[in-house]
Amino acid sequence: MVIEKMAMAGTLESSDAQVTVEPADNLTLHIESSVLNQYGRQIKATVEEVLARLEVTSGRVTVVDKGALDCTLRARVECAVFRSCDASMVNVPWGGVIQ
């Protein structure tokens, strides 16, 4: 998927994360978190895994984490990417689909 325009998903409430994606030439990831020292590597790995699964190879991804669970973080990244490329609800490869 190609990030075509700026899009955002999530909130800055406790136990949530706000993910913003923007078009860029290279793939860059910026993470802000109140638990960065404890869980920074896991947050980064989760975001990179979702981006790889969605085949995102370029764009600027900013994550402002407020203690979100892994499943919440995955959902926020997916939603932001889908919003950025105007993906319709048809044939969207959501992460929880049982095959």
Side-chain angles (χ1 to χ4, degrees):
M1 297 186 127
V2 176
I3 296 173
E4 297 174 359
K5 63 182 180 181
M6 189 190 113
M8 186 183 311
T11 68
L12 295 175
E13 297 293 321
S14 180
S15 300
D16 201 355
Q18 186 177 65
V19 177
T20 306
V21 296
E22 303 172 72
D25 293 331
N26 299 315
L27 184 60
T28 58
L29 176 59
H30 177 74
I31 300 170
E32 296 176 27
S33 176
S34 56
V35 293
L36 191 62
N37 291 332
Q38 296 92 338
Y39 301 106
R41 282 190 220 122
Q42 180 61 39
I43 294 168
K44 182 180 179 189
T46 299
V47 173
E48 288 176 342
E49 179 185 325
V50 173
L51 293 173
R53 184 172 49 77
L54 296 176
E55 299 177 357
V56 174
T57 57
S58 64
R60 184 178 311 123
V61 180
T62 304
V63 178
V64 181
D65 173 62
K66 297 293 183 178
L69 294 174
D70 191 61
C71 57
T72 302
L73 190 56
R74 288 176 190 277
R76 299 304 187 212
V77 174
E78 282 183 353
C79 184
V81 171
F82 293 149
R83 285 178 177 172
S84 76
C85 60
D86 289 326
S88 66
M89 294 304 290
V90 179
N91 298 323
V92 172
W94 293 111
V97 176
I98 299 172
Q99 298 180 9

